[in-house]
């Protein structure tokens, strides 16, 4: 089988589709209208690294 050049956007779409399908199979699908509680937002913010500010 010959090698083929694949566009980066095609690879990204494939990865996104695979991730969505995998999450659905594992029961990890979150409805679009879902809103996190303030407690969870605070937890996520605490675990997210701060962005570096350019000098």
């Amino acid at each position: 089988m010959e090698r083929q050049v694949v566009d980066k956007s095609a690879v990204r779409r494939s990865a996104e589709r695979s991730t969505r399908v995998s999450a659905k199979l594992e029961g990890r699908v979150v409805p679009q209208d879902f809103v996190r509680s303030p407690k969870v937002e605070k937890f996520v913010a605490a675990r997210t690294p701060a962005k570096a500010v350019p000098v």
Side-chain angles (χ1 to χ4, degrees):
M1 190 166 175
E2 291 184 35
R3 288 184 152 222
Q4 295 181 356
V5 177
V6 180
D7 185 31
K8 286 184 180 183
S9 64
V11 173
R12 180 177 295 244
R13 285 191 314 270
S14 175
E16 288 174 1
R17 183 173 46 244
S18 174
T19 301
R20 274 195 312 272
V21 171
S22 177
K24 188 174 182 179
L25 285 172
E26 296 172 2
R28 298 185 287 119
V29 177
V30 179
Q32 286 187 341
D33 61 342
F34 178 79
V35 178
R36 290 179 177 156
S37 70
K39 187 175 180 180
V40 172
E41 285 292 347
K42 185 177 177 182
F43 173 78
V44 171
R47 297 201 34 104
T48 305
K51 293 183 179 179
V53 177
V55 178

Short mmCIF file of all heavy atoms in Angstrom, two decimals:
data_model
loop_
_atom_site.label_atom_id
_atom_site.label_comp_id
_atom_site.label_asym_id
_atom_site.label_seq_id
_atom_site.Cartn_x
_atom_site.Cartn_y
_atom_site.Cartn_z
N MET A 1 0.84 -1.17 0.00
CA MET A 1 0.00 0.00 0.00
C MET A 1 0.89 1.24 0.00
O MET A 1 1.84 1.33 0.77
CB MET A 1 -0.88 -0.01 1.24
CG MET A 1 -1.95 1.00 1.24
SD MET A 1 -3.07 0.51 2.56
CE MET A 1 -4.17 1.81 2.56
N GLU A 2 0.57 2.19 -0.84
CA GLU A 2 1.37 3.39 -0.96
C GLU A 2 1.06 4.39 0.14
O GLU A 2 -0.05 4.42 0.67
CB GLU A 2 1.10 4.07 -2.30
CG GLU A 2 1.61 3.30 -3.50
CD GLU A 2 1.40 4.08 -4.78
OE1 GLU A 2 1.49 5.32 -4.75
OE2 GLU A 2 1.12 3.44 -5.80
N ARG A 3 2.04 5.20 0.47
CA ARG A 3 1.83 6.27 1.44
C ARG A 3 1.00 7.37 0.80
O ARG A 3 1.14 7.65 -0.39
CB ARG A 3 3.15 6.86 1.89
CG ARG A 3 3.92 5.95 2.77
CD ARG A 3 5.16 6.63 3.28
NE ARG A 3 5.49 6.04 4.55
CZ ARG A 3 5.88 6.72 5.60
NH1 ARG A 3 6.06 8.01 5.52
NH2 ARG A 3 6.14 6.12 6.73
N GLN A 4 0.17 8.00 1.61
CA GLN A 4 -0.64 9.10 1.13
C GLN A 4 -0.46 10.30 2.05
O GLN A 4 -0.31 10.14 3.26
CB GLN A 4 -2.12 8.71 1.11
CG GLN A 4 -2.44 7.61 0.14
CD GLN A 4 -3.93 7.28 0.13
OE1 GLN A 4 -4.69 7.84 0.90
NE2 GLN A 4 -4.31 6.39 -0.74
N VAL A 5 -0.49 11.48 1.44
CA VAL A 5 -0.40 12.69 2.22
C VAL A 5 -1.82 13.05 2.67
O VAL A 5 -2.74 13.10 1.87
CB VAL A 5 0.20 13.84 1.38
CG1 VAL A 5 0.22 15.14 2.18
CG2 VAL A 5 1.60 13.47 0.92
N VAL A 6 -1.97 13.26 3.98
CA VAL A 6 -3.28 13.57 4.54
C VAL A 6 -3.25 14.98 5.10
O VAL A 6 -2.31 15.36 5.81
CB VAL A 6 -3.65 12.57 5.66
CG1 VAL A 6 -5.01 12.89 6.25
CG2 VAL A 6 -3.62 11.15 5.12
N ASP A 7 -4.26 15.75 4.78
CA ASP A 7 -4.38 17.13 5.25
C ASP A 7 -4.52 17.14 6.78
O ASP A 7 -5.20 16.29 7.36
CB ASP A 7 -5.61 17.76 4.59
CG ASP A 7 -5.76 19.22 4.93
OD1 ASP A 7 -4.74 19.90 5.13
OD2 ASP A 7 -6.92 19.69 4.96
N LYS A 8 -3.89 18.13 7.45
CA LYS A 8 -3.96 18.21 8.91
C LYS A 8 -5.39 18.37 9.40
O LYS A 8 -5.77 17.84 10.43
CB LYS A 8 -3.12 19.38 9.41
CG LYS A 8 -1.64 19.12 9.36
CD LYS A 8 -0.88 20.27 9.97
CE LYS A 8 0.61 19.99 9.90
NZ LYS A 8 1.38 21.05 10.55
N SER A 9 -6.21 19.09 8.65
CA SER A 9 -7.60 19.28 9.07
C SER A 9 -8.36 17.96 9.02
O SER A 9 -9.24 17.71 9.85
CB SER A 9 -8.30 20.34 8.22
OG SER A 9 -8.39 19.92 6.88
N ALA A 10 -8.02 17.09 8.09
CA ALA A 10 -8.67 15.77 8.00
C ALA A 10 -8.29 14.92 9.21
O ALA A 10 -9.14 14.20 9.77
CB ALA A 10 -8.28 15.06 6.71
N VAL A 11 -7.05 15.01 9.63
CA VAL A 11 -6.60 14.26 10.80
C VAL A 11 -7.33 14.78 12.03
O VAL A 11 -7.79 14.01 12.88
CB VAL A 11 -5.07 14.38 10.98
CG1 VAL A 11 -4.62 13.76 12.29
CG2 VAL A 11 -4.35 13.73 9.81
N ARG A 12 -7.45 16.09 12.15
CA ARG A 12 -8.14 16.70 13.29
C ARG A 12 -9.60 16.27 13.34
O ARG A 12 -10.13 15.90 14.39
CB ARG A 12 -8.05 18.22 13.22
CG ARG A 12 -8.75 18.92 14.38
CD ARG A 12 -8.56 20.40 14.28
NE ARG A 12 -7.15 20.69 14.45
CZ ARG A 12 -6.65 21.38 15.47
NH1 ARG A 12 -7.45 21.89 16.35
NH2 ARG A 12 -5.37 21.58 15.57
N ARG A 13 -10.28 16.32 12.19
CA ARG A 13 -11.69 15.90 12.14
C ARG A 13 -11.84 14.44 12.54
O ARG A 13 -12.76 14.07 13.28
CB ARG A 13 -12.27 16.12 10.74
CG ARG A 13 -12.56 17.56 10.41
CD ARG A 13 -13.38 17.69 9.13
NE ARG A 13 -12.90 16.88 8.02
CZ ARG A 13 -12.02 17.27 7.11
NH1 ARG A 13 -11.49 18.48 7.17
NH2 ARG A 13 -11.65 16.47 6.13
N SER A 14 -10.93 13.61 12.08
CA SER A 14 -10.97 12.19 12.42
C SER A 14 -10.79 11.98 13.93
O SER A 14 -11.50 11.19 14.54
CB SER A 14 -9.88 11.45 11.66
OG SER A 14 -9.82 10.12 12.06
N ALA A 15 -9.86 12.71 14.53
CA ALA A 15 -9.62 12.60 15.97
C ALA A 15 -10.83 13.08 16.76
O ALA A 15 -11.23 12.45 17.74
CB ALA A 15 -8.38 13.39 16.35
N GLU A 16 -11.44 14.18 16.32
CA GLU A 16 -12.63 14.70 17.00
C GLU A 16 -13.78 13.70 16.93
O GLU A 16 -14.46 13.45 17.92
CB GLU A 16 -13.06 16.03 16.40
CG GLU A 16 -12.13 17.17 16.72
CD GLU A 16 -12.50 18.45 16.01
OE1 GLU A 16 -13.50 18.48 15.25
OE2 GLU A 16 -11.78 19.44 16.20
N ARG A 17 -13.98 13.14 15.76
CA ARG A 17 -15.05 12.16 15.57
C ARG A 17 -14.80 10.93 16.44
O ARG A 17 -15.71 10.44 17.12
CB ARG A 17 -15.15 11.78 14.09
CG ARG A 17 -16.27 10.84 13.78
CD ARG A 17 -16.46 10.60 12.28
NE ARG A 17 -15.21 10.33 11.59
CZ ARG A 17 -14.68 11.14 10.64
NH1 ARG A 17 -15.29 12.23 10.29
NH2 ARG A 17 -13.54 10.83 10.06
N SER A 18 -13.58 10.46 16.46
CA SER A 18 -13.22 9.29 17.26
C SER A 18 -13.45 9.56 18.75
O SER A 18 -13.96 8.70 19.47
CB SER A 18 -11.76 8.92 17.02
OG SER A 18 -11.36 7.89 17.86
N THR A 19 -13.07 10.75 19.20
CA THR A 19 -13.24 11.11 20.60
C THR A 19 -14.72 11.16 20.98
O THR A 19 -15.12 10.66 22.03
CB THR A 19 -12.57 12.47 20.89
OG1 THR A 19 -11.19 12.37 20.56
CG2 THR A 19 -12.72 12.86 22.35
N ARG A 20 -15.54 11.77 20.11
CA ARG A 20 -16.98 11.85 20.37
C ARG A 20 -17.60 10.47 20.46
O ARG A 20 -18.37 10.16 21.39
CB ARG A 20 -17.68 12.66 19.28
CG ARG A 20 -17.70 14.14 19.50
CD ARG A 20 -18.70 14.82 18.59
NE ARG A 20 -18.62 14.42 17.19
CZ ARG A 20 -17.84 14.98 16.27
NH1 ARG A 20 -17.07 15.98 16.61
NH2 ARG A 20 -17.84 14.55 15.03
N VAL A 21 -17.28 9.59 19.52
CA VAL A 21 -17.85 8.25 19.49
C VAL A 21 -17.39 7.45 20.70
O VAL A 21 -18.19 6.75 21.33
CB VAL A 21 -17.46 7.53 18.17
CG1 VAL A 21 -17.84 6.07 18.21
CG2 VAL A 21 -18.13 8.21 16.99
N SER A 22 -16.12 7.57 21.06
CA SER A 22 -15.59 6.86 22.23
C SER A 22 -16.30 7.31 23.50
O SER A 22 -16.69 6.49 24.33
CB SER A 22 -14.09 7.11 22.34
OG SER A 22 -13.57 6.50 23.48
N ALA A 23 -16.48 8.62 23.64
CA ALA A 23 -17.17 9.15 24.83
C ALA A 23 -18.60 8.64 24.89
O ALA A 23 -19.09 8.28 25.96
CB ALA A 23 -17.15 10.67 24.81
N LYS A 24 -19.26 8.58 23.75
CA LYS A 24 -20.65 8.11 23.72
C LYS A 24 -20.73 6.64 24.13
O LYS A 24 -21.60 6.26 24.91
CB LYS A 24 -21.23 8.31 22.32
CG LYS A 24 -22.71 8.02 22.25
CD LYS A 24 -23.27 8.37 20.89
CE LYS A 24 -24.76 8.12 20.84
NZ LYS A 24 -25.33 8.48 19.54
N LEU A 25 -19.79 5.84 23.64
CA LEU A 25 -19.78 4.41 24.00
C LEU A 25 -19.54 4.22 25.49
O LEU A 25 -20.05 3.29 26.10
CB LEU A 25 -18.69 3.68 23.21
CG LEU A 25 -18.99 3.40 21.75
CD1 LEU A 25 -17.76 2.85 21.07
CD2 LEU A 25 -20.15 2.43 21.62
N GLU A 26 -18.74 5.10 26.08
CA GLU A 26 -18.40 4.99 27.50
C GLU A 26 -19.41 5.71 28.39
O GLU A 26 -19.23 5.74 29.61
CB GLU A 26 -17.01 5.55 27.74
CG GLU A 26 -15.92 4.74 27.04
CD GLU A 26 -14.56 5.40 27.12
OE1 GLU A 26 -14.43 6.47 27.75
OE2 GLU A 26 -13.63 4.86 26.53
N GLY A 27 -20.43 6.30 27.80
CA GLY A 27 -21.45 6.99 28.59
C GLY A 27 -20.97 8.32 29.16
O GLY A 27 -21.42 8.75 30.22
N ARG A 28 -20.04 8.99 28.48
CA ARG A 28 -19.50 10.25 28.96
C ARG A 28 -20.02 11.45 28.17
O ARG A 28 -19.41 12.50 28.16
CB ARG A 28 -17.96 10.25 28.88
CG ARG A 28 -17.31 9.21 29.73
CD ARG A 28 -15.79 9.33 29.69
NE ARG A 28 -15.24 8.89 28.41
CZ ARG A 28 -14.55 9.67 27.60
NH1 ARG A 28 -14.30 10.91 27.88
NH2 ARG A 28 -14.08 9.19 26.45
N VAL A 29 -21.14 11.32 27.52
CA VAL A 29 -21.68 12.40 26.71
C VAL A 29 -22.35 13.42 27.62
O VAL A 29 -23.14 13.07 28.50
CB VAL A 29 -22.68 11.86 25.67
CG1 VAL A 29 -23.29 13.00 24.88
CG2 VAL A 29 -21.98 10.88 24.75
N VAL A 30 -22.01 14.70 27.43
CA VAL A 30 -22.58 15.77 28.23
C VAL A 30 -23.52 16.57 27.34
O VAL A 30 -23.13 17.00 26.26
CB VAL A 30 -21.47 16.70 28.78
CG1 VAL A 30 -22.07 17.83 29.60
CG2 VAL A 30 -20.49 15.90 29.60
N PRO A 31 -24.77 16.77 27.77
CA PRO A 31 -25.72 17.54 26.95
C PRO A 31 -25.21 18.96 26.72
O PRO A 31 -24.51 19.53 27.57
CB PRO A 31 -26.99 17.57 27.80
CG PRO A 31 -26.83 16.52 28.83
CD PRO A 31 -25.37 16.29 29.00
N GLN A 32 -25.56 19.56 25.57
CA GLN A 32 -25.09 20.90 25.23
C GLN A 32 -25.62 21.96 26.20
O GLN A 32 -24.95 22.95 26.44
CB GLN A 32 -25.48 21.26 23.81
CG GLN A 32 -24.65 20.54 22.78
CD GLN A 32 -24.94 21.04 21.38
OE1 GLN A 32 -25.96 21.66 21.13
NE2 GLN A 32 -24.04 20.76 20.47
N ASP A 33 -26.79 21.75 26.77
CA ASP A 33 -27.36 22.76 27.66
C ASP A 33 -26.93 22.56 29.12
O ASP A 33 -27.41 23.25 30.02
CB ASP A 33 -28.88 22.76 27.56
CG ASP A 33 -29.50 21.43 27.96
OD1 ASP A 33 -28.78 20.42 27.98
OD2 ASP A 33 -30.71 21.39 28.23
N PHE A 34 -25.97 21.68 29.36
CA PHE A 34 -25.48 21.41 30.71
C PHE A 34 -24.71 22.60 31.24
O PHE A 34 -23.90 23.21 30.54
CB PHE A 34 -24.59 20.17 30.72
CG PHE A 34 -24.02 19.85 32.07
CD1 PHE A 34 -24.79 19.21 33.01
CD2 PHE A 34 -22.72 20.19 32.39
CE1 PHE A 34 -24.27 18.91 34.27
CE2 PHE A 34 -22.20 19.89 33.64
CZ PHE A 34 -22.98 19.25 34.57
N VAL A 35 -24.95 22.97 32.49
CA VAL A 35 -24.25 24.08 33.14
C VAL A 35 -23.58 23.54 34.40
O VAL A 35 -24.24 22.92 35.24
CB VAL A 35 -25.23 25.22 33.51
CG1 VAL A 35 -24.50 26.34 34.22
CG2 VAL A 35 -25.95 25.72 32.27
N ARG A 36 -22.28 23.80 34.54
CA ARG A 36 -21.56 23.35 35.72
C ARG A 36 -21.98 24.18 36.94
O ARG A 36 -22.28 25.36 36.82
CB ARG A 36 -20.06 23.53 35.54
CG ARG A 36 -19.45 22.60 34.55
CD ARG A 36 -17.98 22.89 34.44
NE ARG A 36 -17.31 21.98 33.55
CZ ARG A 36 -16.18 22.24 32.92
NH1 ARG A 36 -15.58 23.39 33.10
NH2 ARG A 36 -15.64 21.36 32.13
N SER A 37 -21.94 23.53 38.09
CA SER A 37 -22.24 24.24 39.33
C SER A 37 -21.08 25.17 39.67
O SER A 37 -19.94 24.96 39.23
CB SER A 37 -22.46 23.25 40.47
OG SER A 37 -21.23 22.64 40.81
N PRO A 38 -21.34 26.22 40.45
CA PRO A 38 -20.25 27.13 40.84
C PRO A 38 -19.11 26.41 41.58
O PRO A 38 -17.94 26.75 41.41
CB PRO A 38 -20.93 28.13 41.78
CG PRO A 38 -22.37 28.10 41.38
CD PRO A 38 -22.63 26.69 40.93
N LYS A 39 -19.44 25.39 42.35
CA LYS A 39 -18.42 24.63 43.07
C LYS A 39 -17.49 23.90 42.09
O LYS A 39 -16.27 23.89 42.26
CB LYS A 39 -19.10 23.62 44.01
CG LYS A 39 -18.16 22.90 44.92
CD LYS A 39 -18.93 22.03 45.90
CE LYS A 39 -18.00 21.29 46.83
NZ LYS A 39 -18.72 20.44 47.78
N VAL A 40 -18.07 23.32 41.05
CA VAL A 40 -17.27 22.62 40.05
C VAL A 40 -16.44 23.61 39.25
O VAL A 40 -15.27 23.36 38.96
CB VAL A 40 -18.18 21.77 39.12
CG1 VAL A 40 -17.38 21.20 37.96
CG2 VAL A 40 -18.83 20.66 39.90
N GLU A 41 -17.01 24.76 38.90
CA GLU A 41 -16.26 25.79 38.17
C GLU A 41 -15.04 26.22 38.98
O GLU A 41 -13.95 26.39 38.43
CB GLU A 41 -17.15 27.00 37.88
CG GLU A 41 -18.15 26.77 36.77
CD GLU A 41 -17.51 26.63 35.39
OE1 GLU A 41 -16.32 26.94 35.21
OE2 GLU A 41 -18.24 26.19 34.49
N LYS A 42 -15.20 26.39 40.28
CA LYS A 42 -14.10 26.78 41.15
C LYS A 42 -13.03 25.69 41.16
O LYS A 42 -11.83 25.98 41.09
CB LYS A 42 -14.63 27.04 42.55
CG LYS A 42 -13.59 27.56 43.51
CD LYS A 42 -14.21 27.85 44.86
CE LYS A 42 -13.14 28.31 45.85
NZ LYS A 42 -13.70 28.55 47.18
N PHE A 43 -13.45 24.43 41.23
CA PHE A 43 -12.52 23.30 41.23
C PHE A 43 -11.73 23.25 39.92
O PHE A 43 -10.50 23.12 39.93
CB PHE A 43 -13.28 21.99 41.43
CG PHE A 43 -12.43 20.77 41.28
CD1 PHE A 43 -11.58 20.36 42.29
CD2 PHE A 43 -12.49 20.01 40.12
CE1 PHE A 43 -10.79 19.23 42.15
CE2 PHE A 43 -11.71 18.88 39.96
CZ PHE A 43 -10.85 18.49 40.98
N VAL A 44 -12.42 23.40 38.80
CA VAL A 44 -11.75 23.35 37.49
C VAL A 44 -10.77 24.52 37.36
O VAL A 44 -9.65 24.35 36.88
CB VAL A 44 -12.79 23.37 36.35
CG1 VAL A 44 -12.12 23.54 35.00
CG2 VAL A 44 -13.60 22.08 36.37
N ALA A 45 -11.18 25.70 37.81
CA ALA A 45 -10.31 26.87 37.73
C ALA A 45 -9.05 26.67 38.57
O ALA A 45 -7.96 27.07 38.18
CB ALA A 45 -11.06 28.11 38.19
N ALA A 46 -9.20 26.02 39.72
CA ALA A 46 -8.05 25.78 40.59
C ALA A 46 -7.09 24.77 39.96
O ALA A 46 -5.87 24.84 40.19
CB ALA A 46 -8.52 25.27 41.94
N ARG A 47 -7.59 23.85 39.17
CA ARG A 47 -6.73 22.83 38.56
C ARG A 47 -6.16 23.25 37.22
O ARG A 47 -5.24 22.62 36.71
CB ARG A 47 -7.52 21.53 38.37
CG ARG A 47 -7.96 20.98 39.72
CD ARG A 47 -8.28 19.53 39.72
NE ARG A 47 -7.52 18.69 38.85
CZ ARG A 47 -6.54 17.87 39.25
NH1 ARG A 47 -6.18 17.83 40.49
NH2 ARG A 47 -5.93 17.09 38.39
N THR A 48 -6.68 24.32 36.65
CA THR A 48 -6.19 24.82 35.35
C THR A 48 -4.98 25.71 35.59
O THR A 48 -5.07 26.67 36.35
CB THR A 48 -7.29 25.60 34.62
OG1 THR A 48 -8.44 24.77 34.50
CG2 THR A 48 -6.83 26.04 33.25
N PRO A 49 -3.86 25.43 34.92
CA PRO A 49 -2.68 26.27 35.12
C PRO A 49 -2.93 27.70 34.61
O PRO A 49 -3.61 27.90 33.59
CB PRO A 49 -1.59 25.59 34.31
CG PRO A 49 -2.24 24.59 33.46
CD PRO A 49 -3.62 24.34 34.00
N ALA A 50 -2.38 28.66 35.30
CA ALA A 50 -2.54 30.06 34.91
C ALA A 50 -1.75 30.32 33.63
O ALA A 50 -0.66 29.75 33.43
CB ALA A 50 -2.05 30.97 36.02
N LYS A 51 -2.27 31.17 32.78
CA LYS A 51 -1.57 31.53 31.54
C LYS A 51 -0.43 32.49 31.86
O LYS A 51 -0.58 33.39 32.69
CB LYS A 51 -2.53 32.18 30.54
CG LYS A 51 -3.58 31.23 30.03
CD LYS A 51 -4.44 31.92 29.00
CE LYS A 51 -5.49 30.96 28.46
NZ LYS A 51 -6.35 31.61 27.49
N ALA A 52 0.68 32.29 31.19
CA ALA A 52 1.82 33.18 31.40
C ALA A 52 1.55 34.52 30.73
O ALA A 52 1.03 34.59 29.62
CB ALA A 52 3.07 32.55 30.80
N VAL A 53 1.88 35.58 31.44
CA VAL A 53 1.66 36.93 30.92
C VAL A 53 2.96 37.38 30.26
O VAL A 53 4.03 37.39 30.89
CB VAL A 53 1.29 37.90 32.05
CG1 VAL A 53 1.13 39.31 31.52
CG2 VAL A 53 0.04 37.41 32.76
N PRO A 54 2.91 37.76 28.96
CA PRO A 54 4.14 38.22 28.30
C PRO A 54 4.65 39.53 28.90
O PRO A 54 3.88 40.39 29.28
CB PRO A 54 3.74 38.41 26.84
CG PRO A 54 2.25 38.42 26.83
CD PRO A 54 1.77 37.78 28.09
N VAL A 55 5.95 39.62 29.02
CA VAL A 55 6.56 40.81 29.63
C VAL A 55 6.88 41.84 28.60
O VAL A 55 7.20 41.64 27.51
CB VAL A 55 7.84 40.42 30.41
CG1 VAL A 55 8.51 41.65 31.00
CG2 VAL A 55 7.49 39.42 31.48
#
